[in-house]
Amino acid sequence: MKTCPVDGETLQEIGAGSLAIDVCEVCGGKWFDDKELTLLTKQGVRAMAQLDADYPNTTGSMPPPGGKACPSCQQQELFGFSFKHTPGVVLEGCRGCKGLWLDHGKLTQLAVKLGLLPDQIPQAAPVEAPAAPSEVHCPQ
């Protein structure tokens, strides 16, 4: 069982094309095992941004960088870095298992750096407010 390095929630394994990605349904962070992010990029930049849209950050705050433990190794601290072809997008990686943690929004930032146009960025589905309770009359 993998836990979110931001809020301690259990990560949920979801399908992303042929991949199984671990996501936090609270903060919207995503865990990619070694080489999974590379495989996701082969599905296209729109698929990357769609994954961010499908699993938004529901906390209303962004986690600070650093100080996160690897969801797989659980003892190894993640380190921040940027790929040279996507400068300025800071990701967090594990030196032990080579996995990558992306806080919510990082996939979209990568997709834009790789060519996704701003008007092509998918939006999160609107959250519907619960229906107002109807009036109930007691038969007694």
Side-chain angles (χ1 to χ4, degrees):
M1 173 177 79
K2 294 175 186 165
T3 57
C4 177
V6 173
D7 53 42
E9 294 290 325
T10 299
L11 297 178
Q12 303 302 314
E13 192 172 273
I14 57 101
S18 61
L19 301 172
I21 306 296
D22 300 294
V23 301
C24 178
E25 294 179 330
V26 176
C27 73
K30 285 95 182 153
W31 176 253
F32 293 86
D33 292 319
D34 188 25
K35 302 199 183 354
E36 284 182 334
L37 182 58
T38 300
L39 295 172
L40 180 65
T41 61
K42 292 180 180 184
Q43 294 180 24
V45 291
R46 181 118 168 73
M48 295 167 64
Q50 188 63 56
L51 191 55
D52 256 352
D54 290 345
Y55 295 92
N57 180 341
T58 61
T59 67
S61 64
M62 289 304 293
K68 296 178 182 121
C70 174
S72 288
C73 300
Q74 302 193 6
Q75 301 299 319
Q76 193 75 255
E77 187 170 318
L78 301 177
F79 68 96
F81 73 97
S82 292
F83 290 118
K84 65 180 172 180
H85 56 280
T86 55
V89 182
V90 179
L91 311 178
E92 294 173 275
C94 177
R95 286 183 173 90
C97 68
K98 308 291 187 235
L100 299 174
W101 176 258
L102 279 69
D103 289 320
H104 176 72
K106 297 293 183 170
L107 276 174
T108 300
Q109 290 176 20
L110 287 174
V112 168
K113 290 276 188 177
L114 295 173
L116 183 69
L117 299 174
D119 64 342
Q120 296 174 321
I121 297 173
Q123 300 301 311
V127 178
E128 292 184 27
S134 59
E135 202 170 303
V136 178
H137 296 284
C138 179
Q140 299 292 335

